[in-house]
Amino acid sequence: MNKELMEALDILEKEKEISKETLFEAIENSLMTACKNHFGKADNVKVEINRETCDFLCYAEKLVVETKEEVEDPVLQISLEDAVQISKKAKVGDLLHVEIKSKEFGRIATQNAKNVILQKIREEERSVIYNQYYEKEKDVVTGVVQRYIGKNISINLGKADAMLNESEQVKGEYFRPTERIKVYIVDVKNTPKGPRINVSRTHPELVKRLFESEVTEIKDGTVEIKSIAREAGSRTKIAVWSNNPNVDAVGACVGMNGARVNAIVEELRGEKIDIVNWDENPGNLIQNALSPAKIVAVFADPDEKTAKVVVPDYQLSLAIGKEGQNARLAARLTGYKVDIKSETQAKDAPGFRYEDYVDEYEEYDEEYEGEYEEAYEEEADE
């Protein structure tokens, strides 16, 4: 039993996650290469390795000829006189297995054999790492910031390095070396130099995956994230739906005293997150998406994917948001092109019949005016 070889293979299999069978094949190929370098050819050479004991046998199949004078190629043929010394049953015309002593190989042949094994190990190691991270594509992983390369950031993910390009970084975020951050794996490509992993901090799916890891109800399918719209570093809106009528989708995502959503906000360095209820009715969905603004009426056209929204005069700025952000995110979240008007603007619009829509909302002023004026003031301060 070749204990040293067996121990070496066990270590490689454990540390590099390379199967023993692959390593056995690499050793066989290396011995074939050594034979070819030593003898000039290896067409008749066979290598056998016992997978249990790691003992190996390298031999050449030679044709037995009658006399030494008839031997035209000593690599392919052997005289009967020499053959009998190996096997007493040998006779002319037989194919005799002649053992090749690997210790007889020259330095160059041995070095080439070593290079074949090392090359195979490197290829398999790259393949293992590629497969490992390819399975994590479109998922969130934790990495350690290594260094800035220009404006890009090199991040160590464990067994491989990833690149956080400038275009995938949140404006204003700065990371210190050795800092641990969560990133979204955008894609993994196999290259001759190993896997190339591109990651992102701006992708909307990053927020989605963070909620999946933080909120048990999302992980087990009780709550679904139906839609998500994000302006990285500033604000994200997500629409959630509960498959269980006894489970509040928004409450599950917020958590006790906001614990769950605050953990995600902290990971995103203070990015604001609005969580709203999903509704199959586009009018209700648009109304939810424009929160915290109070809506008087929504006129949605499912065919054209457009919607006209009427809000109280004092709520117009809040509904549109700073630099139009609230309206812009609501449009992305719902898939509708949203046109927001104040009550005054809507009444002055040609063909608008305010009385057809305001009845069901006529009580909103007394109930919500104070609450939403306060929300407007907070938004304005920000």
Side-chain angles (χ1 to χ4, degrees):
M1 180 180 287
N2 194 331
K3 290 184 177 180
E4 291 182 357
L5 179 58
M6 185 175 290
E7 289 174 0
L9 295 180
D10 287 337
I11 292 171
L12 281 171
E13 185 176 43
K14 185 176 180 180
E15 293 184 354
K16 306 289 187 181
E17 296 184 11
I18 303 173
S19 68
K20 280 187 181 179
E21 185 58 35
T22 300
L23 295 169
F24 282 130
E25 291 175 3
I27 294 170
E28 289 173 351
N29 291 334
S30 71
L31 289 171
M32 294 286 284
T33 302
C35 288
K36 190 171 184 179
N37 289 327
H38 186 69
F39 298 112
K41 62 178 71 175
D43 298 337
N44 63 327
V45 174
K46 305 290 181 184
V47 178
E48 294 179 356
I49 300 179
N50 187 311
R51 268 51 171 172
E52 301 297 328
T53 64
C54 289
D55 291 328
F56 64 90
L57 176 64
C58 184
Y59 63 87
E61 290 182 338
K62 295 187 179 183
L63 179 65
V64 180
V65 296
E66 191 167 351
T67 63
K68 290 184 178 182
E69 287 74 17
E70 295 180 15
V71 176
E72 298 177 357
D73 188 342
V75 176
L76 302 176
Q77 297 171 322
I78 187 172
S79 66
L80 181 60
E81 180 183 344
D82 293 336
V84 170
Q85 294 179 9
I86 298 171
S87 174
K88 293 181 180 180
K89 295 180 180 181
K91 55 185 179 180
V92 176
D94 287 349
L95 279 176
L96 187 66
H97 291 179
V98 180
E99 185 179 355
I100 298 172
K101 301 292 185 182
S102 57
K103 291 181 180 180
E104 297 175 1
F105 294 157
R107 181 180 61 83
I108 295 177
T110 303
Q111 185 63 39
N112 288 338
K114 176 185 174 182
N115 291 338
V116 169
I117 295 175
L118 292 176
Q119 178 64 24
K120 184 63 176 178
I121 290 174
R122 282 193 291 267
E123 288 176 0
E124 285 301 313
E125 188 176 7
R126 284 197 294 265
S127 177
V128 167
I129 294 172
Y130 169 77
N131 291 332
Q132 180 179 339
Y133 285 98
Y134 182 76
E135 291 174 357
K136 295 180 180 179
E137 196 176 66
K138 313 302 181 190
D139 205 351
V140 171
V141 295
T142 301
V144 178
V145 176
Q146 294 191 121
R147 62 188 180 280
Y148 276 80
I149 303 175
K151 294 185 177 181
N152 301 330
I153 306 174
S154 174
I155 298 174
N156 181 262
L157 301 181
K159 293 186 177 180
D161 291 342
M163 188 61 67
L164 181 60
N165 296 320
E166 182 185 7
S167 60
E168 299 293 343
Q169 297 174 32
V170 175
K171 188 177 179 181
E173 276 191 347
Y174 180 80
F175 304 107
R176 299 183 304 276
T178 72
E179 189 173 356
R180 297 177 70 84
I181 61 171
K182 290 186 184 293
V183 291
Y184 177 78
I185 297 181
V186 179
D187 58 45
V188 182
K189 296 179 180 178
N190 205 1
T191 70
K193 295 183 178 180
R196 188 176 69 191
I197 306 170
N198 293 318
V199 296
S200 173
R201 287 277 295 177
T202 62
H203 204 287
E205 288 289 314
L206 172 63
V207 180
K208 184 177 181 180
R209 299 299 184 202
L210 289 175
F211 269 100
E212 288 175 353
S213 63
E214 193 71 33
V215 181
T216 309
E217 289 81 357
I218 294 178
K219 190 181 298 183
D220 64 22
T222 305
V223 174
E224 293 182 46
I225 296 177
K226 289 285 192 177
S227 181
I228 186 166
R230 185 184 185 202
E231 291 193 357
S234 180
R235 185 181 293 274
T236 293
K237 283 182 181 284
I238 67 170
V240 294
W241 169 263
S242 175
N243 293 311
N244 186 338
N246 297 320
V247 176
D248 175 21
V250 174
C253 294
V254 172
M256 185 71 70
N257 297 323
R260 289 174 171 177
V261 71
N262 287 342
I264 297 169
V265 169
E266 185 178 348
E267 177 60 42
L268 297 176
R269 308 295 177 94
E271 182 175 317
K272 296 178 178 63
I273 299 177
D274 297 337
I275 307 170
V276 302
N277 282 307
W278 171 268
D279 199 303
E280 294 294 340
N281 184 308
N284 294 338
L285 177 60
I286 292 167
Q287 183 173 334
N288 294 342
L290 285 168
S291 66
K294 180 61 185 176
I295 309 302
V296 173
V298 178
F299 321 124
D301 185 344
D303 297 327
E304 297 293 329
K305 288 290 183 179
T306 60
K308 295 181 179 179
V309 179
V310 179
V311 300
D313 289 354
Y314 70 91
Q315 290 275 290
L316 182 61
S317 296
L318 181 60
I320 294 173
K322 186 178 180 181
E323 298 179 352
Q325 184 185 68
N326 195 55
R328 190 164 57 246
L329 287 175
R332 291 183 198 168
L333 189 74
T334 60
Y336 278 71
K337 183 178 180 181
V338 180
D339 180 20
I340 303 175
K341 284 183 168 58
S342 68
E343 287 182 288
T344 302
Q345 292 171 332
K347 287 177 181 177
D348 295 338
F352 178 79
R353 296 189 56 180
Y354 178 76
E355 63 274 9
D356 292 344
Y357 304 98
V358 78
D359 291 344
E360 60 182 298
Y361 298 100
E362 62 184 2
E363 302 295 331
Y364 84 93
D365 276 315
E366 296 179 6
E367 185 176 353
Y368 295 104
E369 185 171 357
E371 176 185 340
Y372 283 95
E373 279 184 340
E374 184 180 343
Y376 170 73
E377 290 170 0
E378 290 178 359
E379 187 77 16
D381 291 341
E382 292 174 1

